[in-house]
């Protein structure tokens, strides 16, 4: 019987920055842009092959953008998100994308539309991954998905 034991990578250092821009076009429409750059590197490794490699599962770049609409009854949001390549192995040897265990770079778009019947009830319809992109986030991610929810606040 084979057993796997995961250990922390030792010590890591992350340097980076985040920029965000929000703008209200009027009392109903707004938009945002967000960019994150980070350099999460293993500095004190348990194995020599891990030193100066990227920390697992953390993207180097993330970019998000979106537009929102909101009035008394209706609201909605359309967003786009780019996530750069990540690694699942501490020695960063997993460079192949599109396979189980890989963290592929990807860009997806999502949309939510809500209607408030009154102060208590809201109906929301969502579409995630509108462009129906195929990618792995360790596991194969579902393509386009739909959901409907009703919320009651008391």
């Amino acid at each position: 019987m084979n057993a796997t034991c995961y250990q922390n990578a030792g010590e890591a250092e992350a340097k980076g920055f985040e920029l965000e821009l929000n703008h209200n076009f009027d009392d109903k429409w707004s938009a945002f842009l967000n960019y994150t750059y980070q350099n999460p590197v293993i500095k004190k490794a348990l194995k020599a092959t891990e030193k100066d490699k990227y920390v697992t599962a953390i993207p180097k770049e993330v970019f998000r953008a979106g537009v929102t609409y909101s009035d008394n009854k209706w609201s909605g949001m359309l967003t786009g998100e780019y996530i750069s390549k990540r690694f699942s192995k501490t020695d960063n040897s997993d460079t192949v994308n599109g396979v189980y265990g890989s963290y592929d770079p990807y860009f997806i778009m999502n949309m939510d539309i809500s209607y408030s019947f009154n102060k208590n009830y809201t109906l929301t319809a969502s579409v995630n991954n509108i462009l129906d992109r195929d990618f792995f986030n360790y596991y194969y991610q579902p393509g386009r998905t739909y959901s409907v929810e009703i919320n009651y606040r008391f």
Side-chain angles (χ1 to χ4, degrees):
M1 179 165 108
N2 293 333
T4 302
C5 178
Y6 292 99
Q7 293 180 306
N8 288 334
E11 289 184 25
E13 179 179 276
K15 293 182 180 180
F17 62 89
E18 185 169 7
L19 302 171
E20 185 166 0
L21 176 64
N22 293 293
H23 181 70
N24 293 325
F25 296 103
D26 56 32
D27 62 336
K28 295 181 181 179
W29 289 95
S30 65
F32 70 91
L33 296 170
N34 177 283
Y35 176 75
T36 303
Y37 174 85
Q38 51 195 351
N39 194 23
V41 176
I42 299 169
K43 290 298 183 184
K44 292 185 181 175
L46 299 176
K47 299 176 187 173
T49 57
E50 298 171 349
K51 184 164 173 33
D52 296 325
K53 301 296 183 183
Y54 291 109
V55 176
T56 58
I58 298 178
K60 191 170 187 174
E61 295 181 292
V62 176
F63 177 75
R64 292 184 176 102
V67 61
T68 61
Y69 174 83
S70 182
D71 71 9
N72 293 334
K73 297 279 185 184
W74 290 95
S75 64
M77 177 182 279
L78 176 66
T79 59
E81 175 181 67
Y82 168 76
I83 305 290
S84 67
K85 171 72 176 163
R86 290 137 302 141
F87 297 97
S88 61
K89 296 181 180 178
T90 52
D91 65 359
N92 298 168
S93 62
D94 53 320
T95 58
V96 176
N97 293 327
V99 296
Y100 174 80
S102 67
Y103 286 96
D104 300 347
Y106 65 86
F107 174 79
I108 59 170
M109 295 181 69
N110 304 313
M111 182 176 62
D112 299 320
I113 298 174
S114 297
Y115 180 78
S116 296
F117 294 97
N118 55 42
K119 68 178 186 173
N120 301 101
Y121 288 98
T122 302
L123 178 67
T124 303
S126 302
V127 181
N128 292 322
N129 194 1
I130 293 169
L131 303 173
D132 200 21
R133 299 284 172 94
D134 292 324
F135 63 96
F136 282 78
N137 194 22
Y138 195 83
Y139 297 103
Y140 180 74
Q141 297 301 295
R144 185 180 306 120
T145 59
Y146 306 88
S147 65
V148 176
E149 65 182 49
I150 189 158
N151 291 311
Y152 175 75
R153 295 180 193 200
F154 51 93

